[in-house]
Amino acid sequence: MTSSRCEHVRREVRQRTSELLRGAGTRLVHRVGTCRTAAAAAGAWLGAGTGGVPAVLAVCALLLALGVLLLLARPGRRRVDALRTVAGGLAFSAGLTGVLAGAHAHGQGRAPQPESVRASVVSESHETASGRYRALATGEFGRATLIADEPLPPAGTLVEARLDWWDEGLAGVEEATAVRAPGAVWRARADVRAGLARASVGGHEGAELLPGLVIGDTARVSAELEEAMRTVSLTHVTAVSGANILIVAGVVLLVMSRLCRPWWARLLPAACVTAGYVFVVGPEPSVTRATAMAALTAIGLLRPVGTPTVAVLASAVSVLLVWQPQLAGEIGFALSVAATAGILLVAPPLTQLLVDRRVPGWAAAAIAVPAAAQLACTPLLIVLAPQLSPWSVPANLAAGPAVAPATVLGLLAMALEAAGASWPARLFGGLGAFCAWWITGVAHVCAALPAAALRWPEAPGGVVLACVMAAFVCAAVLLRGRSRAAAAVLAFAVAVGGSLVPVLGQPGRGEWSVLVCDVGQGSAVLLRAQEESGDHALLVDTGDDAEALHRCLEGSGVRRLTLAVSHFDRDHVGALDAAVEAAEVHALIVPRALAHTPEAEDARALTGLSGIPAARGEALPPEALPPGVRVRVLWPPPRAGSSADGNGHSLVLLAEADGITVLLPGDIGRTQSLVLASVLAQEPPVDLMLAPHHGSGDMAPALHRAARPRVGAVSVGADNSYGHPTPSALAAFGGAEVLRTDACGTLAVTAGGAVRAEDPDCGRARAGG
C-alpha cells in the first residue's frame, strides 16, 4: 500500500512537471519575438556600456556568428529545430546590436581633444555651486560640456577657445573669444525663454518653479525647494522629460483633430510644434533622450495590433543605444527605461488588484502608474543616493495632476509673451505658476513628514537589497492567495531591515554632528547640523585611503559635500577622488597661501570647482557651507612665506555645528601653535580638538591649554612608522578624555555632546592619567 501510494505521488509529480515545462515552452514560443528584442537591447547595452573594448566586441561577434550558424543549420527533429531557432535568434540579435553599438562607442571614444578649438555654444551658461559656469558646445570634438570662470557667450555664438580637457566630454575654458554673434533664430529663442520668466508672476515659489517645469530653467529655484523635491523624488518635474514632450504633442493633436481629419495633417503640425519646443528647451542630454524616447513611444502607439509593448520598449532601447552609445552610461537613461518597464509590466496587474478591491478604475490607474514607476526605479535611485522615502509615491500622486496644466499654461504664456501680448501672457503665466505652487507645497509638506528620507545601505549591497525588495513587491502584486501574503511580508521585512542597517551598522550614524573618520595615518572629519544640513556635510581633508573614507561615508546619509583641504600632503588629500565619486561636491576650500600651487590646481581640476581661498581672520561664506554649520579660519595669514612649507600653511578651522565646537589644526607645528594660543585664549573652551599633525611631538602645549578641549581626538594609523602619537602630544591634552582612531575606530559626536566610538571597548583614557 505504501509503495503504491509512493508510485502514485511520483506519477503526479512527473505529470505536473511536464505540464509546467510544456506551458513554459508554449509561452516562450508565443513570446519569442519579445525575447529577441530583449536580447538585442541587452547586447546593445553591453557593447555601448563597455565602450566597445576589443574583448567585448569579440564576444558579440562570436554571438553573431553562432546565431547565424544556428539559424542556417539543417533541419532535424521538430523540438530540436524549435530550440535551435529560438537560441539562434537570441544570439543573433544580441550579437548584432552589441557589435553595432560597441563599434560606434569605440569610434566616439577616439574623438579628438584639441587644446585650441572653434566651437558653437548651444546652451545657456548655468552657474554651478562652485561659482563657475557650465554650457554645452559642439565642434570638431563632437559635443562637450565646458566649464568657465565667467559666463560663456549666449547660445548660438561661435567662439575660439583654449580648452583644458579634464575628461571625455568635459573641459575647462582657459580663454574664449566670440567670433560670430548668434543669428536671428538663436536671438528669437533667447527672447522666448526670457519671456516665460517675465510671464511667471505670483510672488511665490510656483513662479520660480514654472520655468523649470516648462523649459528646464531652474536658475530661480531655491536650494530649500530643490532639497525638498529631491527628498520625495519630485526632481523629475524640473527636468524636461518625455512626459513634457508627449503633453505638447498631445495638445496639438487634440486641437488639430477638431480642425482636420487626415491623420498626416494632424501629425505634421504636432511634429513641427514639438521640434520647436525641443529647440527652445535646449540640447541638454536629458532633453535629447526624452525626445527620442517620446518619438519611439509614439511609433509604438501606432504599431500593429498585437505587438507586445515590452518588445516596443526593447526595440527603442536598442535603436537609441546604437544611435547614441553614450546613453548606456547615463543613469537618467536607465531610470527612463526602468520606469517605462515598470509601467508596462507592473502597473496593469496592480491596477486590476486595486479595481478588485473596489477602487474606481481611474483612481486605480492613477495610483498604479507612479507606484510601478517608483518601484522599478528604486534600485537605481540607491546608486544616486542611499535613501528611500515612503512618501515619494503619495507626493507624485498629489503633484501629478498639476504637471500637465502647469506645462500647457506655461507654454501659452511663453507664446503670448513672444507675440507681444503681455497681459494675456501674465494671466496664463499666473495660472501656470499657481499650478506649480501646488507642486512646491506638496514637496515641502511631504519632505517635512516623519521618516521622509530613510537611510539605506549604499551600492552594491544596497542595490541588491533594493532589487530583492522590488522582486517581493512584484510577487505580491502578481501572485495569488497565500503566496501574495508571504511575498508582501517578505518585502516589508526587507524594507525594514534595509532601513535599520545604516543606523545600526556604524556608530552614531543616525544622529551624528561630527565624525572623526578612521582613515589610517591621515585625517578626515565630517561636520553637519542634524536638523538643518540635510544630506550636506563639511568634509575637512580626505585621508589617503579611499576604501577607509568610503566606509566612513557609507550610511552617513551624506550626498553633498563642501570639501576643505587643510594642505596638500597625501595623508590629507590622497583620497580626494574617492570623495568626489562618493558625493556631489558643492564647494572646494583651500588655504590662500597654497592656492596657486600645482597641487591646488590638481584639486580644482579633479573637483571641477574654482576653489575658495581662505585665510586667517575670515569666516567661510555661509552659501558654501552646509546650513547650520559655521566655520572661522584661524590660520594661515593672507600673505604667508614660502609655500614649500605645506604643514606651516595648514588651514586651522574653528567650526560649530549643533552647538558643538571643534578645533581642526591640520598639521601645524610648534611655531604656529604658539601664535594661535593667544587667539584661542580669548575664545570659550572647545568641545572637541583634533591633535595637531596626528600627535606629532612638534607642538606647543600652550595651544591645548588655550583651547581647553573637553575631548581630544587623534587621527592616526595603527603601528605607524612616525611614532604618532607621542607621549608629549597626549600629555598636552591635560585631563581631557582622549580617543585614538587606531584603537577606537571612527568617532561620532552627537548634538548632545556624547562621544561614541566604533569600538566601545577601545580603552578610553584621560590624557593626564
Side-chain angles (χ1 to χ4, degrees):
M1 188 69 180
T2 303
S3 176
S4 175
R5 184 174 299 174
C6 290
E7 182 62 28
H8 174 73
V9 170
R10 281 196 294 268
R11 282 199 305 270
E12 186 174 352
V13 169
R14 283 197 299 269
Q15 182 179 356
R16 292 189 177 183
T17 303
S18 178
E19 291 175 354
L20 286 173
L21 291 175
R22 281 198 301 271
T26 302
R27 287 191 294 271
L28 179 62
V29 171
H30 287 169
R31 298 177 183 176
V32 68
T34 300
C35 293
R36 282 197 299 266
T37 56
W45 217 314
L46 175 65
T50 56
V53 296
V56 173
L57 286 177
V59 170
C60 292
L62 287 174
L63 281 175
L64 179 59
L66 177 63
V68 172
L69 291 175
L70 289 174
L71 292 173
L72 297 180
R74 290 183 177 180
R77 288 189 298 176
R78 186 174 180 180
R79 290 187 178 180
V80 174
D81 286 343
L83 291 174
R84 186 170 59 240
T85 301
V86 171
L90 296 177
F92 180 84
S93 301
L96 178 61
T97 55
V99 168
L100 292 175
H104 193 186
H106 183 69
Q108 284 189 340
R110 303 177 67 179
Q113 294 182 339
E115 293 184 0
S116 298
V117 301
R118 177 169 285 200
S120 296
V121 181
V122 294
S123 73
E124 282 70 29
S125 293
H126 297 287
E127 188 174 4
T128 64
S130 67
R132 285 186 163 187
Y133 295 85
R134 175 184 66 87
L136 288 174
T138 59
E140 61 179 302
F141 47 80
R143 176 175 292 183
T145 299
L146 304 184
I147 306 294
D149 293 328
E150 301 293 335
L152 287 163
T157 305
L158 183 67
V159 299
E160 287 184 350
R162 290 179 57 246
L163 303 180
D164 177 20
W165 289 93
W166 296 344
D167 198 356
E168 182 181 341
L170 179 65
V173 178
E174 296 181 350
E175 182 181 346
T177 304
V179 176
R180 188 178 65 232
V185 175
W186 287 97
R187 291 196 301 271
R189 173 182 180 270
D191 291 340
V192 169
R193 289 177 62 91
L196 177 59
R198 292 192 300 269
S200 302
V201 295
H204 48 71
E205 283 188 321
E208 300 171 357
L209 178 63
L210 186 63
L213 192 151
V214 177
I215 58 174
D217 182 4
T218 59
R220 299 165 61 192
V221 177
S222 65
E224 293 78 12
L225 176 58
E226 185 178 356
E227 175 60 27
M229 296 180 74
R230 181 188 294 113
T231 300
V232 294
S233 301
L234 279 175
T235 49
H236 62 87
V237 171
T238 59
V240 175
S241 64
N244 298 71
I245 295 167
L246 288 175
I247 288 171
V248 173
V251 169
V252 178
L253 285 172
L254 181 62
V255 172
M256 295 306 298
S257 66
R258 305 287 182 179
L259 302 177
C260 55
R261 297 189 62 83
W263 64 268
W264 58 268
R266 298 196 298 267
L267 287 180
L268 186 59
C272 293
V273 171
T274 304
Y277 172 65
V278 170
F279 175 69
V280 170
V281 171
E284 295 286 345
S286 61
V287 179
T288 303
R289 180 178 65 244
T291 305
M293 287 294 287
L296 290 167
T297 301
I299 294 172
L301 294 175
L302 300 174
R303 72 189 189 279
V305 177
T307 305
T309 51
V310 176
V312 174
L313 172 63
S315 301
V317 170
S318 302
V319 171
L320 285 171
L321 290 175
V322 172
W323 174 41
Q324 290 190 335
Q326 71 273 13
L327 291 175
E330 294 182 6
I331 191 68
F333 178 70
L335 286 169
S336 297
V337 174
T340 307
I343 292 171
L344 293 177
L345 297 174
V346 181
L350 180 56
T351 302
Q352 187 59 48
L353 177 64
L354 294 173
V355 169
D356 293 342
R357 299 297 188 273
R358 298 184 178 180
V359 177
W362 62 269
I367 295 172
V369 169
Q374 187 70 29
L375 177 67
C377 292
T378 295
L380 292 172
L381 292 173
I382 299 302
V383 177
L384 294 176
Q387 70 174 38
L388 293 178
S389 175
W391 306 110
S392 58
V393 172
N396 278 272
L397 286 173
V403 173
T407 302
V408 174
L409 290 168
L411 286 171
L412 286 173
M414 186 169 65
L416 290 169
E417 185 71 24
S422 297
W423 282 108
R426 302 295 173 87
L427 174 62
F428 286 111
L431 293 173
F434 177 77
C435 295
W437 170 82
W438 171 261
I439 298 173
T440 66
V442 170
H444 284 304
V445 169
C446 291
L449 292 173
L454 298 174
R455 282 176 291 277
W456 191 264
E458 292 189 353
V463 174
V464 173
L465 201 61
C467 289
V468 172
M469 181 185 67
F472 281 134
V473 172
C474 291
V477 173
L478 299 173
L479 298 178
R480 302 288 179 184
R482 294 181 178 178
S483 298
R484 169 178 288 172
V489 171
L490 289 173
F492 180 76
V494 173
V496 172
S499 300
L500 291 176
V501 166
V503 177
L504 301 178
Q506 302 209 16
R509 286 299 193 266
E511 52 180 345
W512 63 271
S513 298
V514 183
L515 286 179
V516 180
C517 299
D518 177 15
V519 291
Q521 185 64 23
S523 180
V525 180
L526 279 165
L527 299 99
R528 72 167 184 185
Q530 291 181 37
E531 297 297 329
E532 301 176 59
S533 297
D535 62 356
H536 188 183
L538 169 66
L539 174 61
V540 182
D541 292 332
T542 67
D544 189 27
D545 188 334
E547 185 176 346
L549 180 65
H550 176 77
R551 284 198 302 269
C552 185
L553 290 171
E554 185 177 7
S556 65
V558 172
R559 292 187 297 171
R560 291 185 295 162
L561 288 173
T562 293
L563 285 174
V565 178
S566 66
H567 61 299
F568 295 100
D569 286 353
R570 281 202 60 83
D571 58 340
H572 288 255
V573 78
L576 184 62
D577 55 345
V580 172
E581 292 177 3
E584 173 192 348
V585 180
H586 177 74
L588 173 68
I589 298 162
V590 298
R592 181 169 295 171
L594 305 177
H596 300 292
T597 61
E599 293 84 359
E601 292 294 333
D602 292 340
R604 284 191 281 267
L606 185 61
T607 59
L609 302 172
S610 57
I612 301 172
R616 182 178 63 187
E618 300 175 351
L620 296 182
E623 62 271 16
L625 294 170
V629 176
R630 290 173 292 278
V631 180
R632 288 170 48 202
V633 183
L634 305 183
W635 192 265
R639 291 182 177 85
S642 170
S643 61
D645 181 17
N647 289 348
H649 295 153
S650 290
L651 278 180
V652 178
L653 305 178
L654 185 61
E656 181 183 351
D658 288 334
I660 306 297
T661 53
V662 185
L663 177 62
L664 303 170
D667 279 0
I668 60 171
R670 179 183 299 273
T671 302
Q672 296 80 28
S673 299
L674 290 171
V675 173
L676 290 175
S678 60
V679 177
L680 288 169
Q682 310 302 318
E683 300 288 337
V686 300
D687 294 294
L688 176 69
M689 175 181 175
L690 211 63
H693 202 171
H694 318 288
S696 165
D698 181 24
M699 56 87 208
L703 178 67
H704 300 66
R705 290 195 295 269
R708 291 155 290 165
R710 181 172 58 85
V711 178
V714 187
S715 185
V716 64
D719 302 321
N720 65 86
S721 58
Y722 303 99
H724 296 164
T726 62
S728 60
L730 292 175
F733 282 99
E737 183 182 36
V738 181
L739 297 95
R740 301 168 43 160
T741 58
D742 61 339
C744 299
T746 295
L747 310 175
V749 184
T750 66
V755 182
R756 299 179 180 178
E758 194 167 15
D759 180 4
D761 301 320
C762 63
R764 301 185 181 200
R766 296 285 170 182

